[in-house]
């Protein structure tokens, strides 16, 4: 490795060093304020390290990692979400009497795992990133073990992760047995029996990805995990984990040129359609906002899978642009809602304050926060003038270009069902308020103590981005076009053997 390689992976090196420093910091001084400040500083430093790394893209650092514009873009998104997660975690955990320094070590380990996953160009790196992310999240989900449903959620996530890892590892073994190659750009075997073995391996790897993205029929315990996890950890699951798994899935799919395999594409499209319909139907009856967001995330991941069902190399650039734009706007809208929920919840409470029917009449008592939530929900529903509408428009375009009529029908039906439950929450927010039973904080306009002015400020900024991207999508889309054009070259280069 030379200096160029070190600069290219500097963000990951910074995160690794910061984890060691966190352990030393805990050993010398147990202070939640210090560890939180140190974690934020490390993530910010890793974010800034992406600027010099941009000059060294299209670089294979080792056979395990390949640095490209697509990976750097997704890693910046992951680090930004992690920054928000650390900030809301600090406000959430400081209400408890005991120290929670180890929580921030787990958080940074999860971020490092997500970063490695996005940069992966080899099955070994995928497995390493996958396990680092999953095991850290297991610890974080069960961290407040005395709370209701928390241990159950942690155990269920552990079972899900172990199952996904086992299936994916078996699939990788099959592919290696057929091709004698563990890079994403493996060569298709010529012998018929080896081709069957390789295809069986690909199906198993795809099942592993479907588990991690909670796609139907591998979604069963996802709402329980969202519900039982502490609120900042649910934020991590809905943003960092989803972005990382989406990034490695799309790299695996396109670099390996699996999209040319009609059988696998048919299976994936069937999973996408089922996820859009089942996720939205199950969300209809949910009164808990965390469970509702879990079910709706199944549907949104189903929408996103449309970008993988492309028919030719010419569609790759547009599909990537659409996919990155959609995951970005989905994450921003989700962050707005979860920041609000984190601000209203406390670590020492029996459970989080996550019943959306408690929001009745919020628009009359806390108009700024209610407006932010309404716009975020409208964006998730895909209503015009919001970023979510543009994201769905891009997905429609990909589906029409590739004549995916079944996916288009499912997208329309699923969006219609989703509109019903998102509007139900909005009607609750603007309904006649119930009599307040708790004292209202005059400074923040809320009746719960953890919500601060900074929560309202960040929610407002993210909501402004939702509106800005809804009115002027080219601000971001033009940049993604430039980047996605590079990505097609990157994928071509990645297909060459090391």
């Amino acid at each position: 490795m030379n200096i160029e390689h070190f600069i290219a992976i500097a963000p990951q090196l910074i995160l690794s060093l910061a984890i060691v420093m966190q352990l030393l910091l805990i050993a010398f001084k147990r202070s939640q304020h210090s560890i939180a400040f140190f974690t934020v500083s490390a993530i910010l430093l890793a974010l800034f390290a992406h600027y010099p790394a941009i000059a060294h893209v299209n670089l294979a650092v080792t056979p395990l990692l390949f640095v490209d514009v697509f990976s750097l873009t997704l890693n910046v998104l992951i680090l930004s979400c992690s920054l928000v997660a650390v900030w809301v975690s600090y406000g959430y955990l400081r209400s408890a009497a005991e120290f929670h320094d180890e929580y921030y070590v787990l958080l940074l380990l999860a971020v490092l795992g997500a970063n490695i996953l996005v940069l992966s160009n080899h099955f070994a790196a995928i497995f390493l990133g996958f396990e680092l992310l999953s095991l850290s999240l297991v610890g974080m989900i069960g961290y407040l073990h005395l709370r209701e449903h928390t241990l159950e959620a942690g155990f269920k996530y552990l079972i899900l992760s172990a199952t996904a890892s086992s299936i994916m590892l078996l699939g990788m073994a099959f592919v290696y047995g057929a091709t004698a190659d563990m890079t994403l750009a493996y060569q298709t075997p010529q012998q018929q029996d080896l081709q069957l073995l390789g295809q069986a391996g690909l199906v198993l790897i795809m099942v592993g990805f479907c588990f991690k993205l909670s796609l139907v029929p591998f979604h069963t315990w996802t709402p329980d995990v969202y519900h039982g996890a502490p609120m900042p950890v649910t934020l991590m699951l809905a943003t960092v984990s989803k972005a990382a798994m989406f990034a490695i899935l799309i790299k695996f799919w396109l670099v390996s040129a699996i999209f040319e395999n009609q059988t696998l594409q048919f299976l994936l499209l069937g999973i996408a359609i089922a996820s859009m319909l089942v996720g939205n139907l199950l969300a209809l009856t949910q009164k808990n906002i965390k469970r509702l967001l879990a079910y709706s995330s199944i549907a949104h991941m189903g929408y996103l899978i449309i970008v993988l069902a492309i028919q030719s190399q010419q569609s790759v650039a547009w599909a990537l642009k659409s996919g990155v734009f959609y995951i970005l706007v989905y994450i921003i809208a989700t962050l707005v809602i979860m920041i609000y929920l984190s601000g209203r919840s406390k670590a020492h409470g029996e459970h989080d304050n996550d019943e959306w029917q408690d929001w009745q009449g919020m628009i009359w008592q806390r108009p700024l926060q209610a407006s932010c939530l309404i716009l975020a929900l409208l964006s998730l529903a895909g209503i015009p003038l919001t970023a979510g509408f543009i994201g769905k428009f891009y997905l429609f375009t990909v589906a029409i270009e590739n004549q995916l009529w079944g996916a288009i029908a499912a997208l329309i039906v699923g969006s219609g069902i989703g509109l019903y439950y998102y509007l139900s929450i909005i009607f609750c927010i603007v309904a006649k308020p119930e009599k307040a039973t708790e004292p209202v904080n005059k400074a923040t306009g809320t009746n719960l103590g953890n919500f601060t002015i900074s929560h309202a400020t960040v929610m407002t900024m993210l909501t402004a981005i939702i509106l800005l991207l809804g009115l002027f999508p080219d601000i971001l889309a033009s940049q993604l076009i430039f980047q996605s054009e590079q990505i097609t070259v990157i994928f071509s280069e990645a297909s060459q053997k090391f």
Side-chain angles (χ1 to χ4, degrees):
M1 290 179 65
N2 54 35
I3 187 67
E4 190 180 12
H5 293 135
F6 281 107
I7 294 174
I9 60 167
Q12 290 69 47
L13 295 176
I14 290 170
L15 290 176
S16 304
L17 182 63
I19 291 167
V20 177
M21 296 294 291
Q22 277 183 324
L23 295 174
L24 293 174
L25 188 62
I26 293 171
F28 284 107
K29 182 181 180 183
R30 292 188 67 86
S31 165
Q32 189 173 174
H33 178 76
S34 301
I35 194 80
F37 178 77
F38 179 81
T39 308
V40 167
S41 304
I43 294 175
L44 281 174
L45 198 58
L47 268 173
F48 290 135
H50 279 80
Y51 181 72
I54 291 173
H56 303 282
V57 293
N58 303 347
L59 181 66
V61 178
T62 71
L64 300 182
L65 304 176
F66 190 86
V67 178
D68 54 63
V69 177
F70 175 76
S71 303
L72 292 182
T73 304
L74 267 296
N75 272 344
V76 167
L77 177 61
I78 287 170
L79 287 170
S80 302
C81 294
S82 308
L83 207 57
V84 175
V86 175
W87 166 62
V88 297
S89 296
Y90 177 69
Y92 183 87
L93 292 172
R94 69 180 175 181
S95 61
E98 65 268 31
F99 291 104
H100 293 293
D101 298 13
E102 299 83 0
Y103 172 90
Y104 296 94
V105 180
L106 291 173
L107 192 150
L108 217 51
L109 280 169
V111 176
L112 178 62
N115 270 240
I116 290 174
L117 203 53
V118 173
L119 292 177
S120 298
N121 193 45
H122 192 280
F123 288 152
I126 291 176
F127 193 71
L128 174 65
F130 192 80
E131 289 302 297
L132 197 54
L133 174 63
S134 300
L135 292 177
S136 304
L137 285 174
V138 168
M140 292 174 70
I141 292 168
Y143 195 79
L144 302 176
H145 59 279
L146 296 179
R147 297 183 62 179
E148 189 180 10
H149 303 308
T150 301
L151 278 183
E152 177 190 344
F155 181 73
K156 286 183 173 177
Y157 189 77
L158 177 63
I159 297 294
L160 285 175
S161 296
T163 306
S165 299
S166 305
I167 293 173
M168 190 178 289
L169 200 57
L170 183 61
M172 290 173 181
F174 281 4
V175 171
Y176 179 69
T179 65
D181 192 350
M182 292 187 71
T183 63
L184 296 189
Y186 60 84
Q187 298 298 312
T188 305
Q190 298 301 317
Q191 299 178 33
Q192 185 67 27
D193 55 341
L194 291 181
Q195 284 184 4
L196 290 174
L197 183 65
Q199 288 184 358
L202 292 178
V203 170
L204 291 174
I205 293 173
M206 288 305 303
V207 169
F209 283 128
C210 291
F211 262 110
K212 294 305 294 180
L213 285 172
S214 305
L215 293 167
V216 174
F218 312 103
H219 65 287
T220 308
W221 283 345
T222 302
D224 296 338
V225 174
Y226 268 52
H227 186 203
M231 198 59 235
V233 184
T234 309
L235 184 150
M236 289 279 290
L237 289 169
T239 57
V240 172
S241 178
K242 298 292 185 194
M245 293 312 301
F246 162 73
I248 189 57
L249 173 59
I250 204 165
K251 284 182 72 172
F252 174 70
W253 189 262
L254 297 179
V255 173
S256 308
I258 304 176
F259 63 91
E260 294 174 355
N261 186 315
Q262 295 297 319
T263 305
L264 285 175
Q265 195 176 81
F266 178 77
L267 286 173
L268 190 73
L269 202 55
I271 289 172
I273 291 172
S275 300
M276 293 181 220
L277 299 177
V278 174
N280 278 312
L281 284 172
L282 292 176
L284 275 176
T285 57
Q286 301 304 316
K287 303 302 179 188
N288 181 284
I289 188 68
K290 286 164 79 175
R291 296 186 71 86
L292 186 145
L293 288 175
Y295 281 119
S296 72
S297 76
I298 296 168
H300 283 286
M301 291 303 111
Y303 300 151
L304 200 53
I305 293 300
I306 288 177
V307 303
L308 299 181
I310 54 176
Q311 308 289 331
S312 64
Q313 289 277 359
Q314 289 72 29
S315 302
V316 168
W318 181 250
L320 282 170
K321 170 190 169 183
S322 305
V324 172
F325 190 93
Y326 194 83
I327 191 75
L328 176 68
V329 299
Y330 167 74
I331 283 176
I332 292 174
T334 305
L335 279 177
V336 172
I337 298 172
M338 292 202 169
I339 288 172
Y340 179 73
L341 291 171
S342 298
R344 286 172 55 90
S345 304
K346 301 173 183 178
H348 66 269
E350 292 184 2
H351 53 77
D352 291 325
N353 196 348
D354 51 9
E355 297 294 327
W356 60 263
Q357 290 185 330
D358 293 341
W359 298 357
Q360 184 170 341
M362 190 198 304
I363 191 73
W364 310 108
Q365 298 169 339
R366 303 182 291 276
L368 178 63
Q369 298 156 32
S371 301
C372 293
L373 290 175
I374 289 172
L375 285 168
L377 290 166
L378 290 176
S379 182
L380 289 173
I383 299 299
L385 302 183
T386 64
F389 172 76
I390 303 298
K392 281 191 177 173
F393 174 77
Y394 286 158
L395 296 185
F396 264 115
T397 309
V398 172
I400 290 171
E401 276 188 352
N402 293 278
Q403 300 181 351
L404 306 171
W405 308 120
I408 293 171
L411 183 55
I412 293 171
V413 173
S415 299
I417 299 170
L419 190 60
Y420 176 82
Y421 59 78
Y422 288 128
L423 285 181
S424 298
I425 302 174
I426 293 172
F427 288 153
C428 180
I429 292 173
V430 300
K432 183 180 179 181
E434 291 182 340
K435 185 178 179 181
T437 55
E438 298 177 78
V440 174
N441 184 327
K442 293 181 180 179
T444 61
T446 181
N447 56 356
L448 292 173
N450 282 336
F451 199 96
T452 63
I453 295 295
S454 59
H455 285 87
T457 305
V458 177
M459 282 179 67
T460 306
M461 290 169 61
L462 292 173
T463 306
I465 294 174
I466 290 173
L467 283 176
L468 191 65
L469 292 180
L471 295 171
F472 308 103
D474 281 347
I475 294 173
L476 175 66
S478 58
Q479 298 300 315
L480 292 177
I481 287 173
F482 171 72
Q483 292 177 353
S484 60
E485 285 173 347
Q486 289 189 353
I487 289 167
T488 54
V489 177
I490 293 162
F491 286 163
S492 175
E493 292 181 2
S495 65
Q496 300 173 8
K497 296 290 181 185
F498 289 98

